[in-house]
Amino acid sequence: MENTHQKKVIFSKRKSLPCIAPLLTTVEETPQIISAQVRGHFPKWLNGCLLRIGPGKFEYGKDKYNHWFDGMALLHQFKVEKGTVTYRSKFLQSDTYKANSVHDRIVISEFGTLALPDPCKNVFERFMSKFELPAITDNTNVNYVQYKGDYYISTETNFMNKVDIETLEKTEKVDWSKFIAVNGATAHPHYDKDGTAYNMGNSYGQHGSCYNVIRVPPEKVDLGETIHGAQVICSIASAERMKPSYYHSFGMTRNYIVFIEQPLKMNLWKIITSKIRGKAFSDGISWEPQYNTRFHVVDKHTGQLLPGMYYSKPFVTFHQINAFEDQGCVVIDLCCQDDGRSLEVYQLQNLRKTGKELDQVYNSVARSFPRRFVLPLRVSLNAPEGENLSPLSYSSASAVKQADGKIWCSYENLYPEDLEEEGGVEFPQINYGQFSGKKYQFFYGCGFRHLVGDSLIKVDVVNKTLTVWREDGFYPSEPVFVPVPGTNEEDGGVILSVVITPNQNERNFLLVLDAKNFEELGRAEVPVQLPYGFHGTFVTI
C-alpha cells in the first residue's frame, strides 16, 4: 500500500506534459534531396533507405481534419550510403489529395472527418448529396507493404498505392475488391521466407460479415501485374452479423494465422448511415467490453479453421509482436490495452491541447503492455475440465477447458514492473527476417509517457528486462531493426528511428542505435519540420 501512495505523490508533483502540437501540424514537403548532418557515425555496412509514412497535412482552405488518422499521407525517405545520409519527402499524389487540392476543401471523407456537401450547390442538391454513397479514400497513410517485390502504401480501405521507392512517386492505384471479394485489407500483412504474403480483410454480404484470410503469391506471372492471383483461403463469420470487430493486425506462425476478434465493434448500420446522420465513419466504432475477446486459428496451408474456441477477458490489440509454435501450442505475443476507447481520444484537438487539459487527455488513454497467450491446438473431447492445458514450463499463461468446451486463456505479462513507469509500449518490431514465426527473445518499441512515443525500449521477453533510450523533449518513431550482414544473432544489428521535437531551436534527426546495448552510434540531423508518423520499413540497397 505504502508504495502506491508514494507513486501517486510523485506523479502529482510532475509538471504538465509538454505541448506536442507542432508534431501534429501541416508541414511542407521536401521533394529535393537534402544532405543530413551526421554526428557520430552510421555503420559502413548500412546501405539502404528507411521509408516512412504518416499524416502531414491537416487542412484544406477553411476545412480541417478532426482525427490524427485523417491527415494527408506524406512519404519520407532517409537514404543511408557509406556513412552519409540524405532526406527527401513528398505528399502522396492520391486521387483524394488531388481532389481536395483542386477544390481547396475536404471533398473525400476520412476516418474521423465527414466531407461536407459542395457549398456551390443549391439547398436541394446539398440535401440529396447526403444520400449518395460516400467516396472511399485512397489516402493511404499507414504503412509500406510489399507484394511480389513491389512496394505499396496501405491503409485499411480497399485502395493501395504502388510507389517507386527511389523517387517516392505514386505509379499505380490498386483496388483489392477488383481481385477478391473483400472491402479492404490491413496495413500489416505477414510474409513467408519465399515472399508469399498473407493479409486479412472484411467482406459484407447477405450472410453478414466475414473476416477473410488472404494469400498473395510471391512472384509475378506477367511484368505489369499487381496483386493478381490473390486468394481468400478462409472466411470466418463474425460473431454478430451487423457488428464485426475492428482489427489492425493479426498473428502468423509457420503454419497458422491467428485472428483476434475483439470487442471493439464496427456498427455497420451506423457506418452505412453516417453520411445521412452527418457523422464520420469513426462514430460507428464502439468499445463493448460486455463481450470477451476470441482467438481464431487458421491452418494457412489448407485454409481450415481449427475447431478450438479460445476466449479471454476483453482487451484490444492494435499490433501483434510475434507468434510461434511450441509443443502443440500456438504462442502469441501482443501489445494489449484493457480499454478500447483510445481511438476516439486521438482527435487532433485533444492531441494539440496544453497544460492540465493535455494531462487529462493523456490520463484517459489506456496504456499498452506486452502479453503472451498460449493456445493449445490439439484439445481432445475428453481433456480434463478446469486444468491448465498448456504444457509450456516457461510461460505462466494458461488455457483452461470449461464445461461448455470453450478454452479460457489467461495471459502472462512479458515485462518487468518498470515498464509501467515508461508508459507502456507500442509500435513493436522484431528481427522479422530471421525470427518472425519463431521462438525469440527481443522486441523493440516506443515507450509512451506522452500521447506519442517519447522513448525507445528494448524488451527481453525471456528475462523480462528493459533497456531504454530517451532524450528529453524528443519523440522517437517506431524503431526499425536492421540486421548486420552475415550474423544469426537475434539482436546483431542496429535500430533506426526518426526522432522529432516540437522545439523550434532543435533539429529533428534519424537515430541509429546498436541493437545489442542500445547505445547511440550516430544521428543524422535535418533542418526540416517533420510530423509524428506511423510505420515504415528499411530497404537494403
Side-chain angles (χ1 to χ4, degrees):
M1 213 32 229
E2 188 58 35
N3 211 350
T4 55
H5 175 67
Q6 283 176 331
K7 213 180 234 178
K8 278 206 175 90
V9 175
I10 293 162
F11 276 117
S12 64
K13 277 186 190 162
R14 249 181 59 186
K15 54 182 197 293
S16 282
L17 289 171
C19 173
I20 53 165
L23 311 185
L24 304 145
T25 304
T26 296
V27 300
E28 297 287 316
E29 61 181 1
T30 308
Q32 257 49 59
I33 293 171
I34 59 168
S35 288
Q37 185 179 2
V38 174
R39 302 185 186 279
H41 78 282
F42 278 64
K44 289 283 181 280
W45 57 263
L46 184 68
N47 292 296
C49 286
L50 178 68
L51 304 169
R52 298 235 340 125
I53 185 85
K57 182 171 172 62
F58 298 96
E59 65 283 306
Y60 278 94
K62 295 191 184 78
D63 291 0
K64 293 179 172 50
Y65 287 114
N66 299 326
H67 200 281
W68 188 24
F69 300 171
D70 299 344
M72 292 293 104
L74 181 60
L75 290 70
H76 308 267
Q77 176 201 67
F78 284 90
K79 195 173 208 174
V80 185
E81 263 180 308
K82 302 191 183 81
T84 67
V85 181
T86 59
Y87 172 77
R88 74 175 350 173
S89 67
K90 286 183 185 174
F91 279 107
L92 172 69
Q93 297 297 309
S94 61
D95 294 342
T96 300
Y97 180 91
K98 291 193 224 168
N100 291 341
S101 299
V102 166
H103 295 93
D104 197 29
R105 65 185 185 87
I106 296 170
V107 180
I108 311 282
S109 294
E110 299 289 341
F111 172 75
T113 306
L114 177 72
L116 294 172
D118 185 345
C120 301
K121 289 183 170 172
N122 68 35
V123 174
F124 177 70
E125 288 172 322
R126 282 206 300 255
F127 174 74
M128 288 313 288
S129 75
K130 284 187 176 215
F131 300 94
E132 293 164 10
L133 278 176
I136 301 294
T137 182
D138 63 341
N139 174 38
T140 50
N141 65 5
V142 180
N143 201 6
Y144 274 90
V145 298
Q146 204 180 0
Y147 296 104
K148 303 183 190 178
D150 290 327
Y151 285 89
Y152 296 80
I153 311 171
S154 173
T155 177
E156 296 174 338
T157 67
N158 51 309
F159 295 120
M160 293 190 295
N161 287 294
K162 190 169 162 181
V163 283
D164 177 329
I165 59 171
E166 190 59 46
T167 63
L168 298 188
E169 297 292 340
K170 169 185 132 177
T171 59
E172 194 174 348
K173 172 169 155 176
V174 175
D175 182 348
W176 277 105
S177 64
K178 297 266 189 289
F179 296 90
I180 46 176
V182 296
N183 292 74
T186 81
H188 291 286
H190 277 292
Y191 311 101
D192 277 343
K193 276 267 191 284
D194 69 353
T196 302
Y198 291 84
N199 206 337
M200 292 200 60
N202 284 2
S203 56
Y204 312 110
Q206 290 128 331
H207 309 297
S209 324
C210 283
Y211 313 111
N212 303 288
V213 180
I214 304 162
R215 184 196 291 135
V216 182
E219 281 161 6
K220 295 179 182 177
V221 178
D222 293 315
L223 253 177
E225 69 181 49
T226 58
I227 50 173
H228 299 69
Q231 282 177 302
V232 169
I233 61 166
C234 179
S235 290
I236 303 164
S238 105
E240 277 189 281
R241 271 186 68 148
M242 288 300 284
K243 277 182 158 182
S245 292
Y246 171 80
Y247 56 96
H248 185 77
S249 67
F250 59 95
M252 185 171 93
T253 67
R254 214 161 84 215
N255 299 297
Y256 301 101
I257 299 287
V258 185
F259 170 65
I260 294 148
E261 190 171 17
Q262 53 196 11
L264 187 58
K265 303 271 194 160
M266 298 189 291
N267 184 322
L268 296 184
W269 187 243
K270 270 190 161 183
I271 290 170
I272 292 160
T273 60
S274 60
K275 192 171 174 185
I276 298 167
R277 296 182 303 113
K279 299 279 189 189
F281 302 119
S282 54
D283 177 65
I285 297 183
S286 60
W287 168 237
E288 303 193 6
Q290 67 271 31
Y291 298 98
N292 290 320
T293 290
R294 180 173 180 183
F295 298 81
H296 300 269
V297 183
V298 175
D299 183 316
K300 72 187 206 196
H301 307 297
T302 66
Q304 271 315 104
L305 179 62
L306 272 58
M309 296 182 287
Y310 309 95
Y311 288 86
S312 83
K313 65 179 202 182
F315 70 86
V316 157
T317 180
F318 294 101
H319 299 113
Q320 59 90 43
I321 304 165
N322 199 6
F324 56 91
E325 296 158 43
D326 195 9
Q327 297 174 55
C329 298
V330 161
V331 179
I332 183 160
D333 297 348
L334 310 158
C335 286
C336 301
Q337 303 173 9
D338 287 323
D339 187 323
R341 286 175 299 192
S342 53
L343 279 182
E344 59 204 58
V345 178
Y346 278 87
Q347 302 271 351
L348 288 164
Q349 59 178 23
N350 287 336
L351 298 175
R352 291 172 179 156
K353 284 182 170 160
T354 57
K356 290 271 184 290
E357 285 192 325
L358 181 62
D359 292 351
Q360 264 177 332
V361 173
Y362 177 73
N363 290 328
S364 74
V365 182
R367 308 283 166 262
S368 179
F369 291 105
R371 296 173 180 169
R372 170 165 290 175
F373 290 89
V374 174
L375 315 175
L377 299 180
R378 292 184 281 279
V379 179
S380 66
L381 288 170
N382 50 11
E385 279 167 34
E387 281 179 35
N388 183 11
L389 302 174
S390 164
L392 306 181
S393 57
Y394 55 82
S395 178
S396 60
S398 65
V400 175
K401 189 174 159 192
Q402 299 177 296
D404 57 5
K406 290 176 181 168
I407 296 157
W408 186 256
C409 301
S410 302
Y411 58 82
E412 169 193 8
N413 285 325
L414 287 182
Y415 60 93
E417 242 178 45
D418 35 342
L419 185 58
E420 294 179 23
E421 280 144 47
E422 301 302 330
V425 66
E426 249 297 346
F427 296 138
Q429 287 287 323
I430 58 166
N431 178 343
Y432 192 93
Q434 288 168 295
F435 286 85
S436 173
K438 296 183 188 153
K439 210 168 176 179
Y440 73 113
Q441 185 173 355
F442 305 111
F443 80 89
Y444 311 89
C446 290
F448 273 75
R449 294 204 318 201
H450 207 310
L451 289 159
V452 297
D454 81 319
S455 67
L456 293 169
I457 302 179
K458 177 183 184 179
V459 182
D460 178 331
V461 299
V462 175
N463 300 304
K464 298 191 182 170
T465 54
L466 304 180
T467 319
V468 180
W469 180 93
R470 158 179 286 112
E471 197 161 307
D472 267 356
F474 286 84
Y475 300 89
S477 68
E478 171 185 73
V480 172
F481 177 85
V482 186
V484 62
T487 185
N488 47 17
E489 270 190 302
E490 187 179 343
D491 58 354
V494 295
I495 290 295
L496 295 174
S497 173
V498 178
V499 183
I500 62 175
T501 175
N503 182 344
Q504 304 300 306
N505 308 325
E506 304 273 7
R507 289 270 173 102
N508 297 323
F509 57 91
L510 173 65
L511 172 71
V512 58
L513 299 178
D514 182 327
K516 262 194 156 19
N517 56 19
F518 241 44
E519 295 291 321
E520 177 171 336
L521 296 174
R523 56 178 66 184
E525 298 178 344
V526 289
V528 292
Q529 287 294 112
L530 300 175
Y532 198 86
F534 296 136
H535 298 290
T537 188
F538 186 80
V539 182
T540 303
I541 298 173

